Amino acid sequence: MISFKGTHYPKNVILYAVFFYVRYAVSYRDQEEIMQERGVTVDHATLNRWVVKYASQIAAEARKKKSQVGASWRMDETYIKVKGRWVYLYRAVDKSGETVDFMLSETRDEAAATRFFAQSVGNNGLPEKVVIDKSGANQVGLTNINIYLFLMGFWLSFIDTLQVKYLNNIVEQDHRFIKRITKPMMGFKTFHSAAATLDGIETAHMIREGQLGQQDIPAYRQFMALAE
């Protein structure tokens, strides 16, 4: 359960505000106005603190509860601007387009790729194969995971690596919702706030795609339920 101790607003108000921000293409100034129209006076700085504080916690709960993904993954990175410089959002979906995992990184290199694959396997189990682009770092990252499996005695569980452009189109196209939501935000001021906000955006996307298995329940209520 996520703690809301010490907050000056009801939990449902906070969660509704966080959900609305990460689900729709709005700025904090827009969100401040929207909340005021609904009878809640809260400034944009407070809205930002709510997103940074709660979005990652809710994403962690969503990872635990999302449906099992397929054994064939497609992995790619997209770019996000933080304080005037580009950082890298690592993402993977299965062949049906369901979100496997995501991770924001300040670097795009072997260490980041290895960390992302290790996180994805830890959260979802081992895939049979992963389709990647021509990035050498991603190739080495998967090789590192296979080396680890070998050293642990799981040589029959090696992950096949494919570099086929057309097979990776699904994850490249899936990046579009990220760009659509983040564009009105006009860039992030810190890496920490970017990571938290993207956690929330990815969680809202998983809910919208039905990965929490409750399609008959409104999306914002599913989002709120993750904090209970």
Side-chain angles (χ1 to χ4, degrees), residues 4-43:
F4 291 84
K5 185 177 181 180
T7 60
H8 298 291
Y9 291 81
K11 178 180 73 173
N12 286 351
V13 169
I14 295 171
L15 291 174
Y16 182 84
V18 174
F19 171 77
F20 200 100
Y21 184 73
V22 299
R23 173 62 183 86
Y24 300 101
V26 295
S27 67
Y28 280 118
R29 298 279 185 179
D30 292 333
Q31 180 73 341
E32 179 180 335
E33 184 177 337
I34 290 166
M35 296 299 290
Q36 191 165 28
E37 289 174 353
R38 284 159 173 75
V40 179
T41 301
V42 55
D43 62 56

Side-chain angles (χ1 to χ4, degrees), residues 6 32 52 58 67 109 132 154 177 205-206:
E32 179 180 335
V52 171
I58 293 170
S67 57
D109 54 18
I132 60 175
F154 298 111
F177 83 91
H205 183 63
M206 286 193 293

